[in-house]
Amino acid sequence: MRLRFLFILFFFSGILMVQGSESYLGIVPEINISYKLKDIKFNVKAEFFQLFYANEGELGPEWDYQYENTDLQFFASKKVNPFISLALGYQYGIETGDKNTHRTIQQFSYVFRPGNLKWGHRVRAGQTFYEDEPTKFRFRYRLSVEIPLQGQSIDYNEFYVIASDEFLYAYQDKDQEYENRLAMYIGYLFENNSKFQLGIDYRTDLSSEPLVHNYWIRLGYLINL
Amino acid sequence: MKYRIQIILSFFSFFLAIINLNAQEKLEEEYKVKEDEVPAQAKKWINETFGEMKGIKWYYEKSSGKVSYEAKLKTNNEIYSIEFDTTGLIEDIEQKYDWKNISQNTRKGLVHYFKSNYIKYKIIKIQKQYLGTPYNLKSLIKQNEMEGITVNYEIEFHGRTEKENELWECLFNSNGELLQKKKIILKPSNNLEF
């Protein structure tokens, strides 16, 4: 039932894509490593954005491989209690064509599990520094839910689904941007606490005219050392 | 010499066992099973006690090496988890419970435990546990008959001490005295956080 609702949601987001006149499709392999040292958890993440389809309206659809960018993220987080964590992070963005960026990130996250589902709230603030542009300030909120597919909780060697929606607001100088990111993945938990996730991350740039739809197929491997 | 080593080793393993008792971890594995995979005796007990019911969820559970079947059901606004062994013999009934419904005497004992062991604590979930023979447990549900029934409380909470801030599952008797303590190890949530 829960799954059916999520699929319907995705179906409607597909209709939105047809209405908008700009859309892109790409793939993002991702590796995410967490390591706990005493009270502090360190997290390193690398994401590689690659486009292979673009439909820019009048030009029509085009299949062409294009390497977009790589994001490298480093976080240090501390638990306030078993459910609430505060984290500070840094992101180095390697851009093709453009100059590389630096971003500082502050994060609050709250994981709770009423019943069988695990929910995560995440609030993030970020400041991106460019070499020749004013600093961009971003605020974002994400709600995620992890749904076990075999039983009441996700045990080792079991599949799960994770769905999330994130709203982003950004301003740079006098420009404002809004973006929505709806994602759904199927995941698998291994006995060594690592997770493999495969799914789609559908991003809508709400401030552009016409709307821009980005579909990213994501393959993630999350390791816990 | 050989004996001395043996004595030292057994002393050491005894010491380890004590540590282990203090910091037992809750390791549980479960998955959903179809009704026809459940021992017939377990289904019979449910049927005789609750009558014909729909919407019962069955789980196969492995907890610290122990295997059992668990039925989850909701009736008259009460949520029950009923555990059976692999032959279908009932082991206990757990009922989701509110703090305010616990008797004053039990609450006093519980508050004493929490306040004397933790700087800060927060209760997350309470289940009232009933132990007894299959017959007594049946009478408990059907006629609210408490004869032959032992009542315990299983409480999930997070408690902060000077050294740690963890999630626990503890079992208390009806005087609010601690019987068993397990640390709950949550599976990683890095996909929800990062």
Short mmCIF file of all heavy atoms in Angstrom, two decimals, chain A residues 34 43 75 80-83 85 107 109 113 118 122 142 144 146 151-156 158 160 162 189 193 195 197 224, chain B residues 28-32 57 59 61 70 72 122 124 156 158-160 163 165-167 184 186-194:
data_model
loop_
_atom_site.label_atom_id
_atom_site.label_comp_id
_atom_site.label_asym_id
_atom_site.label_seq_id
_atom_site.Cartn_x
_atom_site.Cartn_y
_atom_site.Cartn_z
N SER A 34 31.52 6.00 6.11
CA SER A 34 31.40 6.55 7.45
C SER A 34 32.37 5.84 8.37
O SER A 34 32.53 4.62 8.31
CB SER A 34 29.98 6.34 8.00
OG SER A 34 29.09 7.18 7.36
N ASN A 43 32.33 11.33 7.80
CA ASN A 43 31.68 10.83 6.59
C ASN A 43 32.33 11.47 5.37
O ASN A 43 32.51 12.67 5.31
CB ASN A 43 30.19 11.18 6.65
CG ASN A 43 29.42 10.56 5.51
OD1 ASN A 43 29.37 11.10 4.41
ND2 ASN A 43 28.85 9.39 5.74
N PHE A 75 32.35 15.29 6.20
CA PHE A 75 31.54 15.71 7.34
C PHE A 75 32.10 15.18 8.64
O PHE A 75 32.66 14.07 8.67
CB PHE A 75 30.11 15.16 7.21
CG PHE A 75 29.21 16.00 6.37
CD1 PHE A 75 28.99 15.68 5.04
CD2 PHE A 75 28.59 17.12 6.90
CE1 PHE A 75 28.16 16.45 4.25
CE2 PHE A 75 27.75 17.89 6.12
CZ PHE A 75 27.54 17.57 4.80
N VAL A 80 23.72 14.24 19.57
CA VAL A 80 23.26 14.91 20.78
C VAL A 80 22.57 13.87 21.66
O VAL A 80 22.69 13.86 22.87
CB VAL A 80 22.27 16.05 20.41
CG1 VAL A 80 21.73 16.73 21.64
CG2 VAL A 80 22.94 17.06 19.48
N ASN A 81 21.87 12.97 21.03
CA ASN A 81 21.28 11.78 21.68
C ASN A 81 21.21 10.69 20.62
O ASN A 81 21.67 10.91 19.50
CB ASN A 81 19.94 12.14 22.34
CG ASN A 81 18.86 12.53 21.36
OD1 ASN A 81 18.77 11.96 20.27
ND2 ASN A 81 18.06 13.51 21.70
N PRO A 82 20.66 9.49 20.92
CA PRO A 82 20.69 8.44 19.88
C PRO A 82 20.03 8.82 18.56
O PRO A 82 20.21 8.14 17.56
CB PRO A 82 19.97 7.27 20.55
CG PRO A 82 20.15 7.49 22.00
CD PRO A 82 20.14 8.97 22.20
N PHE A 83 19.24 9.90 18.53
CA PHE A 83 18.50 10.23 17.32
C PHE A 83 18.90 11.54 16.65
O PHE A 83 18.70 11.72 15.47
CB PHE A 83 16.99 10.27 17.62
CG PHE A 83 16.48 9.02 18.25
CD1 PHE A 83 16.13 9.00 19.58
CD2 PHE A 83 16.40 7.85 17.52
CE1 PHE A 83 15.69 7.83 20.17
CE2 PHE A 83 15.96 6.69 18.09
CZ PHE A 83 15.61 6.67 19.42
N SER A 85 21.64 14.42 15.50
CA SER A 85 23.05 14.67 15.22
C SER A 85 23.25 16.07 14.67
O SER A 85 22.40 16.58 13.94
CB SER A 85 23.59 13.70 14.17
OG SER A 85 23.48 12.40 14.61
N GLN A 107 24.70 21.17 9.45
CA GLN A 107 23.58 20.23 9.34
C GLN A 107 23.01 19.80 10.69
O GLN A 107 23.73 19.56 11.64
CB GLN A 107 24.07 19.00 8.57
CG GLN A 107 23.06 17.88 8.50
CD GLN A 107 23.56 16.70 7.70
OE1 GLN A 107 23.98 16.84 6.57
NE2 GLN A 107 23.53 15.52 8.31
N SER A 109 20.29 16.80 11.97
CA SER A 109 19.47 15.68 11.50
C SER A 109 18.81 14.95 12.66
O SER A 109 19.36 14.87 13.75
CB SER A 109 20.30 14.72 10.65
OG SER A 109 21.33 14.17 11.42
N ARG A 113 11.88 6.55 14.66
CA ARG A 113 11.31 5.31 14.12
C ARG A 113 10.04 4.94 14.87
O ARG A 113 10.07 4.11 15.77
CB ARG A 113 12.33 4.17 14.20
CG ARG A 113 13.53 4.47 15.07
CD ARG A 113 14.28 3.27 15.50
NE ARG A 113 14.23 3.21 16.95
CZ ARG A 113 14.09 2.11 17.64
NH1 ARG A 113 13.97 0.96 17.05
NH2 ARG A 113 14.06 2.15 18.95
N LYS A 118 11.56 4.01 9.41
CA LYS A 118 12.57 4.91 9.97
C LYS A 118 12.50 6.21 9.18
O LYS A 118 12.65 6.20 7.96
CB LYS A 118 13.94 4.25 9.82
CG LYS A 118 15.00 4.83 10.71
CD LYS A 118 15.99 3.77 11.12
CE LYS A 118 17.34 3.97 10.55
NZ LYS A 118 18.31 2.95 10.85
N ARG A 122 16.18 16.31 7.86
CA ARG A 122 17.50 16.90 7.74
C ARG A 122 17.38 18.37 7.35
O ARG A 122 16.72 18.69 6.37
CB ARG A 122 18.32 16.16 6.69
CG ARG A 122 19.77 16.63 6.63
CD ARG A 122 20.53 15.89 5.58
NE ARG A 122 20.30 16.50 4.27
CZ ARG A 122 20.85 16.03 3.14
NH1 ARG A 122 21.62 14.95 3.17
NH2 ARG A 122 20.62 16.62 1.99
N ARG A 142 15.07 18.17 4.12
CA ARG A 142 14.76 16.89 3.49
C ARG A 142 14.03 15.98 4.47
O ARG A 142 14.41 15.87 5.63
CB ARG A 142 16.04 16.20 3.02
CG ARG A 142 15.77 14.92 2.22
CD ARG A 142 17.04 14.32 1.69
NE ARG A 142 17.73 13.57 2.72
CZ ARG A 142 18.87 12.91 2.52
NH1 ARG A 142 19.45 12.95 1.34
NH2 ARG A 142 19.44 12.24 3.50
N SER A 144 13.04 11.99 4.75
CA SER A 144 13.25 10.68 4.13
C SER A 144 12.54 9.61 4.95
O SER A 144 12.37 9.76 6.15
CB SER A 144 14.72 10.29 4.09
OG SER A 144 15.56 11.37 3.97
N GLU A 146 12.61 5.27 5.37
CA GLU A 146 13.19 3.97 5.01
C GLU A 146 12.15 2.90 5.33
O GLU A 146 11.70 2.82 6.47
CB GLU A 146 14.45 3.77 5.85
CG GLU A 146 15.49 2.91 5.21
CD GLU A 146 16.69 2.71 6.13
OE1 GLU A 146 16.51 2.34 7.30
OE2 GLU A 146 17.80 2.92 5.66
N GLY A 151 9.57 -7.87 6.61
CA GLY A 151 9.35 -7.82 8.06
C GLY A 151 9.22 -6.42 8.60
O GLY A 151 8.95 -5.48 7.87
N GLN A 152 9.43 -6.31 9.92
CA GLN A 152 9.16 -5.04 10.61
C GLN A 152 10.35 -4.11 10.65
O GLN A 152 10.22 -2.93 10.91
CB GLN A 152 8.74 -5.31 12.04
CG GLN A 152 7.58 -6.26 12.17
CD GLN A 152 7.33 -6.62 13.62
OE1 GLN A 152 6.63 -5.92 14.33
NE2 GLN A 152 7.91 -7.71 14.08
N SER A 153 11.55 -4.67 10.48
CA SER A 153 12.73 -3.81 10.48
C SER A 153 13.70 -4.33 9.43
O SER A 153 13.57 -5.46 8.96
CB SER A 153 13.39 -3.84 11.86
OG SER A 153 13.79 -5.15 12.16
N ILE A 154 14.67 -3.49 9.07
CA ILE A 154 15.63 -3.91 8.06
C ILE A 154 16.74 -4.69 8.75
O ILE A 154 17.50 -4.14 9.54
CB ILE A 154 16.20 -2.70 7.29
CG1 ILE A 154 15.05 -1.91 6.66
CG2 ILE A 154 17.20 -3.14 6.22
CD1 ILE A 154 15.46 -0.55 6.17
N ASP A 155 16.80 -5.98 8.49
CA ASP A 155 17.86 -6.82 9.04
C ASP A 155 18.91 -7.03 7.96
O ASP A 155 18.72 -6.63 6.82
CB ASP A 155 17.29 -8.16 9.50
CG ASP A 155 16.20 -7.98 10.54
OD1 ASP A 155 16.40 -7.16 11.45
OD2 ASP A 155 15.16 -8.64 10.42
N TYR A 156 19.99 -7.71 8.34
CA TYR A 156 21.04 -7.97 7.36
C TYR A 156 20.52 -8.85 6.22
O TYR A 156 19.66 -9.71 6.44
CB TYR A 156 22.24 -8.66 8.03
CG TYR A 156 22.92 -7.74 9.03
CD1 TYR A 156 23.17 -8.15 10.33
CD2 TYR A 156 23.28 -6.45 8.66
CE1 TYR A 156 23.79 -7.31 11.25
CE2 TYR A 156 23.89 -5.59 9.55
CZ TYR A 156 24.14 -6.03 10.85
OH TYR A 156 24.73 -5.17 11.73
N GLU A 158 18.71 -7.97 3.72
CA GLU A 158 17.32 -7.69 3.37
C GLU A 158 17.23 -6.44 2.50
O GLU A 158 18.06 -5.55 2.58
CB GLU A 158 16.49 -7.49 4.64
CG GLU A 158 16.14 -8.78 5.33
CD GLU A 158 15.16 -8.61 6.49
OE1 GLU A 158 14.68 -7.49 6.75
OE2 GLU A 158 14.89 -9.62 7.14
N TYR A 160 15.18 -2.98 1.13
CA TYR A 160 14.34 -1.90 1.65
C TYR A 160 14.12 -0.87 0.55
O TYR A 160 14.78 -0.91 -0.49
CB TYR A 160 14.97 -1.25 2.89
CG TYR A 160 16.33 -0.63 2.63
CD1 TYR A 160 16.44 0.71 2.24
CD2 TYR A 160 17.49 -1.37 2.75
CE1 TYR A 160 17.68 1.28 1.99
CE2 TYR A 160 18.74 -0.80 2.50
CZ TYR A 160 18.83 0.53 2.12
OH TYR A 160 20.05 1.08 1.86
N ILE A 162 13.86 3.39 0.06
CA ILE A 162 14.02 4.68 0.71
C ILE A 162 13.48 5.76 -0.22
O ILE A 162 13.80 5.78 -1.41
CB ILE A 162 15.48 4.91 1.18
CG1 ILE A 162 15.63 6.28 1.86
CG2 ILE A 162 16.50 4.76 0.06
CD1 ILE A 162 16.89 6.39 2.69
N LEU A 189 20.82 -4.17 2.57
CA LEU A 189 21.74 -4.05 3.70
C LEU A 189 22.58 -5.32 3.82
O LEU A 189 22.05 -6.41 3.97
CB LEU A 189 20.96 -3.81 5.00
CG LEU A 189 21.77 -3.76 6.29
CD1 LEU A 189 22.68 -2.54 6.34
CD2 LEU A 189 20.85 -3.74 7.52
N ASN A 193 27.24 -4.08 7.48
CA ASN A 193 26.62 -2.77 7.68
C ASN A 193 26.73 -1.84 6.48
O ASN A 193 26.45 -0.65 6.60
CB ASN A 193 27.20 -2.06 8.90
CG ASN A 193 26.37 -2.33 10.14
OD1 ASN A 193 25.19 -2.62 10.03
ND2 ASN A 193 27.00 -2.27 11.29
N LYS A 195 25.58 -0.61 2.62
CA LYS A 195 24.30 -0.60 1.90
C LYS A 195 24.54 -0.30 0.44
O LYS A 195 25.40 0.51 0.11
CB LYS A 195 23.39 0.50 2.47
CG LYS A 195 22.88 0.22 3.86
CD LYS A 195 22.10 1.40 4.40
CE LYS A 195 21.44 1.04 5.72
NZ LYS A 195 20.72 2.16 6.30
N GLN A 197 22.43 1.05 -2.90
CA GLN A 197 21.16 1.68 -3.26
C GLN A 197 21.13 2.03 -4.74
O GLN A 197 22.12 2.51 -5.29
CB GLN A 197 20.95 2.97 -2.45
CG GLN A 197 20.76 2.70 -0.98
CD GLN A 197 20.43 3.93 -0.16
OE1 GLN A 197 20.12 3.79 1.01
NE2 GLN A 197 20.51 5.12 -0.71
N ASN A 224 30.13 1.42 6.20
CA ASN A 224 30.33 1.81 7.59
C ASN A 224 31.53 1.07 8.14
O ASN A 224 31.51 -0.15 8.25
CB ASN A 224 29.10 1.44 8.42
CG ASN A 224 28.10 2.55 8.41
OD1 ASN A 224 28.24 3.52 9.15
ND2 ASN A 224 27.12 2.43 7.53
N GLU B 28 18.45 -8.66 17.02
CA GLU B 28 17.22 -9.31 16.62
C GLU B 28 17.12 -9.34 15.10
O GLU B 28 17.55 -8.42 14.44
CB GLU B 28 16.06 -8.50 17.19
CG GLU B 28 14.84 -9.32 17.46
CD GLU B 28 13.76 -8.48 18.13
OE1 GLU B 28 13.10 -7.70 17.44
OE2 GLU B 28 13.62 -8.60 19.35
N GLU B 29 16.58 -10.41 14.63
CA GLU B 29 16.40 -10.57 13.19
C GLU B 29 15.01 -11.13 13.01
O GLU B 29 14.64 -12.08 13.71
CB GLU B 29 17.44 -11.58 12.71
CG GLU B 29 17.81 -11.50 11.28
CD GLU B 29 18.79 -12.61 10.93
OE1 GLU B 29 19.83 -12.71 11.61
OE2 GLU B 29 18.48 -13.37 10.03
N GLU B 30 14.22 -10.54 12.14
CA GLU B 30 12.89 -11.09 11.96
C GLU B 30 12.43 -10.89 10.54
O GLU B 30 12.93 -10.01 9.85
CB GLU B 30 11.90 -10.47 12.95
CG GLU B 30 11.88 -8.95 13.02
CD GLU B 30 11.32 -8.26 11.81
OE1 GLU B 30 10.22 -8.65 11.38
OE2 GLU B 30 11.97 -7.35 11.28
N TYR B 31 11.54 -11.73 10.10
CA TYR B 31 10.89 -11.48 8.82
C TYR B 31 9.47 -12.01 8.83
O TYR B 31 9.12 -12.86 9.65
CB TYR B 31 11.71 -12.06 7.65
CG TYR B 31 12.05 -13.52 7.73
CD1 TYR B 31 11.15 -14.47 7.30
CD2 TYR B 31 13.29 -13.93 8.23
CE1 TYR B 31 11.46 -15.82 7.36
CE2 TYR B 31 13.61 -15.28 8.31
CZ TYR B 31 12.69 -16.22 7.87
OH TYR B 31 12.99 -17.55 7.94
N LYS B 32 8.69 -11.45 7.93
CA LYS B 32 7.28 -11.80 7.86
C LYS B 32 7.10 -13.23 7.34
O LYS B 32 7.84 -13.64 6.45
CB LYS B 32 6.60 -10.83 6.91
CG LYS B 32 5.20 -10.50 7.29
CD LYS B 32 4.70 -9.35 6.45
CE LYS B 32 3.23 -9.13 6.77
NZ LYS B 32 2.72 -7.95 6.16
N LYS B 57 -0.66 -10.33 11.75
CA LYS B 57 0.62 -10.42 11.03
C LYS B 57 1.52 -11.37 11.80
O LYS B 57 1.66 -11.26 13.02
CB LYS B 57 1.27 -9.04 10.94
CG LYS B 57 0.55 -8.15 9.94
CD LYS B 57 1.18 -6.79 9.92
CE LYS B 57 0.43 -5.85 8.99
NZ LYS B 57 0.69 -4.47 9.30
N TYR B 59 5.35 -13.14 12.28
CA TYR B 59 6.78 -12.94 12.05
C TYR B 59 7.59 -14.10 12.63
O TYR B 59 7.22 -14.67 13.66
CB TYR B 59 7.26 -11.63 12.70
CG TYR B 59 6.56 -10.42 12.15
CD1 TYR B 59 5.42 -9.92 12.77
CD2 TYR B 59 7.01 -9.80 10.99
CE1 TYR B 59 4.75 -8.82 12.25
CE2 TYR B 59 6.36 -8.70 10.47
CZ TYR B 59 5.23 -8.21 11.10
OH TYR B 59 4.57 -7.12 10.59
N GLU B 61 11.14 -14.85 14.27
CA GLU B 61 12.10 -13.99 14.95
C GLU B 61 13.28 -14.78 15.50
O GLU B 61 13.12 -15.87 16.04
CB GLU B 61 11.38 -13.34 16.14
CG GLU B 61 11.59 -11.87 16.23
CD GLU B 61 10.81 -11.29 17.40
OE1 GLU B 61 11.11 -11.61 18.55
OE2 GLU B 61 9.88 -10.53 17.11
N GLU B 70 6.02 -14.77 16.14
CA GLU B 70 5.32 -13.68 16.82
C GLU B 70 4.10 -13.27 16.02
O GLU B 70 4.18 -13.07 14.81
CB GLU B 70 6.27 -12.49 16.99
CG GLU B 70 5.73 -11.46 17.94
CD GLU B 70 6.64 -10.23 18.02
OE1 GLU B 70 6.95 -9.64 16.98
OE2 GLU B 70 7.01 -9.87 19.14
N LYS B 72 1.23 -10.35 15.57
CA LYS B 72 0.89 -8.96 15.91
C LYS B 72 -0.56 -8.75 15.54
O LYS B 72 -0.96 -9.04 14.42
CB LYS B 72 1.76 -7.98 15.11
CG LYS B 72 3.18 -7.97 15.59
CD LYS B 72 3.66 -6.56 15.85
CE LYS B 72 4.92 -6.65 16.65
NZ LYS B 72 5.45 -5.40 17.08
N LYS B 122 14.66 9.44 28.42
CA LYS B 122 13.40 9.67 27.72
C LYS B 122 12.81 8.32 27.31
O LYS B 122 13.48 7.53 26.63
CB LYS B 122 13.62 10.54 26.50
CG LYS B 122 12.32 11.03 25.94
CD LYS B 122 12.47 11.95 24.76
CE LYS B 122 11.07 12.30 24.27
NZ LYS B 122 11.06 12.63 22.87
N ILE B 124 10.63 5.83 25.22
CA ILE B 124 10.18 5.83 23.84
C ILE B 124 8.98 4.92 23.65
O ILE B 124 8.03 5.25 22.98
CB ILE B 124 11.33 5.46 22.89
CG1 ILE B 124 12.38 6.57 22.96
CG2 ILE B 124 10.87 5.26 21.46
CD1 ILE B 124 13.72 6.17 22.48
N GLU B 156 11.53 0.77 26.32
CA GLU B 156 12.60 1.24 25.45
C GLU B 156 12.80 2.73 25.74
O GLU B 156 11.85 3.49 25.77
CB GLU B 156 12.17 1.04 24.00
CG GLU B 156 13.28 1.27 23.00
CD GLU B 156 12.78 1.14 21.57
OE1 GLU B 156 12.20 0.10 21.22
OE2 GLU B 156 12.98 2.10 20.81
N HIS B 158 15.95 6.21 25.89
CA HIS B 158 17.36 6.58 25.80
C HIS B 158 17.77 7.28 27.06
O HIS B 158 17.03 8.10 27.61
CB HIS B 158 17.76 7.28 24.50
CG HIS B 158 17.23 8.62 24.24
ND1 HIS B 158 17.79 9.75 24.74
CD2 HIS B 158 16.19 9.00 23.48
CE1 HIS B 158 17.12 10.78 24.30
NE2 HIS B 158 16.14 10.36 23.54
N GLY B 159 18.91 6.88 27.56
CA GLY B 159 19.36 7.37 28.85
C GLY B 159 20.79 7.87 28.75
O GLY B 159 21.62 7.25 28.10
N ARG B 160 21.02 9.02 29.36
CA ARG B 160 22.35 9.60 29.32
C ARG B 160 23.01 9.45 30.68
O ARG B 160 22.44 9.81 31.70
CB ARG B 160 22.26 11.08 28.92
CG ARG B 160 23.60 11.76 28.77
CD ARG B 160 23.48 13.00 27.91
NE ARG B 160 22.70 14.05 28.56
CZ ARG B 160 23.24 14.96 29.38
NH1 ARG B 160 24.52 14.94 29.65
NH2 ARG B 160 22.48 15.87 29.93
N LYS B 163 29.13 8.77 30.95
CA LYS B 163 29.97 8.11 29.95
C LYS B 163 29.28 7.91 28.61
O LYS B 163 29.89 7.97 27.57
CB LYS B 163 30.40 6.73 30.47
CG LYS B 163 31.53 6.81 31.47
CD LYS B 163 31.99 5.42 31.81
CE LYS B 163 32.79 5.41 33.09
NZ LYS B 163 32.68 4.14 33.79
N ASN B 165 25.44 7.81 26.04
CA ASN B 165 24.10 8.29 25.75
C ASN B 165 23.52 7.31 24.74
O ASN B 165 23.71 7.46 23.54
CB ASN B 165 24.22 9.70 25.16
CG ASN B 165 22.88 10.39 25.06
OD1 ASN B 165 21.84 9.82 25.40
ND2 ASN B 165 22.88 11.62 24.58
N GLU B 166 22.87 6.29 25.25
CA GLU B 166 22.49 5.18 24.36
C GLU B 166 21.00 4.88 24.44
O GLU B 166 20.28 5.41 25.27
CB GLU B 166 23.27 3.91 24.74
CG GLU B 166 24.76 4.03 24.61
CD GLU B 166 25.26 4.01 23.18
OE1 GLU B 166 24.45 3.73 22.27
OE2 GLU B 166 26.45 4.28 22.98
N LEU B 167 20.63 3.96 23.54
CA LEU B 167 19.26 3.50 23.48
C LEU B 167 19.21 2.13 24.17
O LEU B 167 20.03 1.27 23.89
CB LEU B 167 18.89 3.36 22.00
CG LEU B 167 17.44 3.32 21.61
CD1 LEU B 167 16.72 4.58 22.04
CD2 LEU B 167 17.34 3.19 20.10
N ILE B 184 20.25 -1.29 22.59
CA ILE B 184 19.69 -1.41 21.23
C ILE B 184 20.69 -0.80 20.25
O ILE B 184 21.08 0.35 20.38
CB ILE B 184 18.33 -0.69 21.10
CG1 ILE B 184 17.33 -1.33 22.06
CG2 ILE B 184 17.82 -0.75 19.66
CD1 ILE B 184 15.97 -0.66 22.06
N LEU B 186 21.15 0.40 16.69
CA LEU B 186 20.41 0.74 15.48
C LEU B 186 21.27 0.48 14.25
O LEU B 186 22.48 0.70 14.29
CB LEU B 186 20.00 2.21 15.51
CG LEU B 186 18.94 2.61 16.54
CD1 LEU B 186 18.70 4.11 16.47
CD2 LEU B 186 17.65 1.87 16.31
N LYS B 187 20.64 0.06 13.21
CA LYS B 187 21.36 -0.12 11.94
C LYS B 187 21.76 1.28 11.44
O LYS B 187 21.08 2.25 11.74
CB LYS B 187 20.45 -0.82 10.93
CG LYS B 187 20.06 -2.25 11.33
CD LYS B 187 21.20 -3.19 11.13
CE LYS B 187 20.88 -4.65 11.37
NZ LYS B 187 19.92 -5.05 12.36
N PRO B 188 22.85 1.37 10.68
CA PRO B 188 23.33 2.69 10.29
C PRO B 188 22.28 3.51 9.51
O PRO B 188 21.52 2.96 8.72
CB PRO B 188 24.54 2.40 9.40
CG PRO B 188 24.45 0.97 9.07
CD PRO B 188 23.70 0.30 10.17
N SER B 189 22.28 4.80 9.76
CA SER B 189 21.33 5.69 9.09
C SER B 189 22.04 6.71 8.22
O SER B 189 21.54 7.80 8.00
CB SER B 189 20.52 6.47 10.13
OG SER B 189 19.92 5.62 11.03
N ASN B 190 23.25 6.38 7.75
CA ASN B 190 23.98 7.38 6.98
C ASN B 190 23.27 7.76 5.69
O ASN B 190 23.48 8.85 5.17
CB ASN B 190 25.44 6.98 6.73
CG ASN B 190 25.60 5.56 6.29
OD1 ASN B 190 24.65 4.79 6.36
ND2 ASN B 190 26.78 5.20 5.84
N ASN B 191 22.36 6.88 5.21
CA ASN B 191 21.59 7.24 4.01
C ASN B 191 20.49 8.25 4.34
O ASN B 191 19.97 8.90 3.45
CB ASN B 191 21.01 6.00 3.33
CG ASN B 191 20.24 5.12 4.28
OD1 ASN B 191 20.32 5.27 5.50
ND2 ASN B 191 19.48 4.21 3.74
N LEU B 192 20.12 8.38 5.62
CA LEU B 192 19.11 9.37 5.98
C LEU B 192 19.77 10.68 6.40
O LEU B 192 19.16 11.73 6.39
CB LEU B 192 18.25 8.86 7.15
CG LEU B 192 17.46 7.58 6.91
CD1 LEU B 192 16.78 7.13 8.18
CD2 LEU B 192 16.41 7.78 5.84
N GLU B 193 21.03 10.59 6.81
CA GLU B 193 21.72 11.78 7.32
C GLU B 193 22.54 12.51 6.25
O GLU B 193 22.64 13.72 6.26
CB GLU B 193 22.64 11.40 8.46
CG GLU B 193 21.90 11.02 9.73
CD GLU B 193 22.85 10.54 10.81
OE1 GLU B 193 23.82 11.25 11.08
OE2 GLU B 193 22.63 9.44 11.35
N PHE B 194 23.20 11.73 5.38
CA PHE B 194 24.10 12.38 4.40
C PHE B 194 23.64 12.17 2.96
O PHE B 194 22.83 11.35 2.71
CB PHE B 194 25.53 11.88 4.57
CG PHE B 194 26.07 12.14 5.94
CD1 PHE B 194 26.18 11.12 6.85
CD2 PHE B 194 26.42 13.43 6.33
CE1 PHE B 194 26.64 11.36 8.14
CE2 PHE B 194 26.88 13.67 7.61
CZ PHE B 194 26.99 12.63 8.52
#
